[in-house]
Amino acid sequence: MNRQYQIAIDGPAAAGKSTVAKMAAQRLGAFYVNTGEMYRTIALACLEKNIDVKEHPEELAAVLPQWEMSFGDNGNGGIAITFNGRPIAPQQLHTPQVASIVSYVAKIPEVRSWMLQRQRDCKRLGTIIMEGRDICTVVLPDATAKFFITATPMERARRRLAQPGEVAQGATVESVAAEIAERDRIDSTREVAPLKPAPDATTIVTDGLTAEQVTDKVVEIFNQKKAECE
Ligand code: CDP
């Protein structure tokens, strides 16, 4: 039986993790797992059910045990999320409304422990590339290769502005930079599983690099690590 591997990628908002993880997954024949979309699904459910996660996180913690989320193969190298029996489309998750509350959802300890086992279960899908904020540090600490992918705040704001769906109408590079800085602040100062580079992760600053160049680096380092453990 072929051995299965895990590649873990963390980094701040709009650093280009998803693009690179998707490209690397295609090249390696691996499965791409975007954990941000899992937190975004819970944020969407809070919007739909009028749960105010900023003021009343305890309301979400109370209903969460009755909720169910599962992940299957989306037929395109990534995961398809089913939430309480309903398929969730990525376009529903990349909206200004979801982006504005998702970090409040993700800082709730009950949400993080609810996610953890479900995310680790994704190993059953085969060789995976999983990206998020705490993948190297908490979810897959034994991953074969670990990366921290980042870029300067202005570069990240420019990339986010160019992405359809995510930013509000009339947004400017400055307003987007402020929004992602606020999300990064919440993500990196929370008590449970804050965003930070794992000591054994390779940091890649992607300013001035194309997605292909970053992917080349990820694939090269993974192949080296894989050879070392064979
Ligand atoms: O696409 P972008 O980089 O803006 O964010 P994302 O990867 O979709 O993640 C959205 C939010 O989910 C993050 O800002 C975190 O608050 C949360 N998240 C997390 O806490 N832990 C993860 N492993 C992944 C996402």
Side-chain angles (χ1 to χ4, degrees):
M1 196 174 94
N2 282 342
R3 193 165 162 186
Q4 293 174 342
Y5 299 90
Q6 288 109 39
I7 300 172
I9 302 180
D10 290 324
K17 302 180 303 288
S18 308
T19 311
V20 166
K22 234 181 261 173
M23 287 171 91
Q26 252 166 17
R27 281 212 223 158
L28 296 167
F31 210 80
Y32 162 57
V33 183
N34 177 335
T35 60
E37 291 192 343
M38 301 176 185
Y39 289 97
R40 286 169 181 266
T41 298
I42 300 296
L44 177 68
C46 290
L47 291 172
E48 288 176 350
K49 295 174 196 297
N50 288 318
I51 297 173
D52 181 349
V53 274
K54 271 193 213 175
E55 297 301 324
H56 295 289
E58 73 287 353
E59 287 183 16
L60 172 56
V63 291
L64 201 57
Q66 289 122 53
W67 287 359
E68 199 33 78
M69 191 189 282
S70 61
F71 316 116
D73 186 338
N74 72 359
N76 195 23
I79 53 164
I81 298 180
T82 302
F83 177 72
N84 288 345
R86 176 167 68 114
I88 303 292
Q91 309 83 270
Q92 295 174 270
L93 305 175
H94 295 275
T95 66
Q97 293 75 17
V98 168
S100 70
I101 63 159
V102 63
S103 289
Y104 293 96
V105 167
K107 71 185 273 210
I108 303 171
E110 289 86 349
V111 172
R112 300 211 75 84
S113 54
W114 189 88
M115 273 312 170
L116 188 59
Q117 200 48 51
R118 289 172 171 80
Q119 291 171 343
R120 287 187 176 151
D121 278 348
C122 289
K123 289 197 255 183
R124 72 182 156 78
L125 295 165
T127 290
I128 54 171
I129 301 192
M130 185 179 278
E131 58 112 339
R133 302 292 184 286
D134 61 339
I135 311 307
C136 302
T137 49
V138 176
V139 182
L140 301 175
D142 299 324
T144 314
K146 298 183 180 185
F147 299 90
F148 190 80
I149 294 186
T150 186
T152 55
M154 280 321 251
E155 176 63 24
R156 293 193 278 123
R158 277 191 291 272
R159 289 182 189 166
R160 182 52 32 108
L161 200 56
Q163 240 171 300
E166 182 90 19
V167 297
Q169 263 200 333
T172 62
V173 81
E174 287 77 19
S175 68
V176 174
E179 278 162 27
I180 59 183
E182 174 61 0
R183 194 136 62 81
D184 289 348
R185 186 191 64 76
I186 302 169
D187 291 346
S188 48
T189 57
R190 68 184 173 218
E191 266 168 41
V192 184
L195 166 69
K196 61 174 179 200
D200 52 350
T202 302
T203 294
I204 308 177
V205 182
T206 64
D207 291 60
L209 297 177
T210 63
E212 284 80 10
Q213 287 170 320
V214 181
T215 306
D216 286 346
K217 222 174 170 125
V218 166
V219 170
E220 184 193 319
I221 292 174
F222 166 67
N223 282 332
Q224 269 168 22
K225 301 268 184 197
K226 186 176 140 191
E228 281 165 23
C229 65
E230 265 163 7

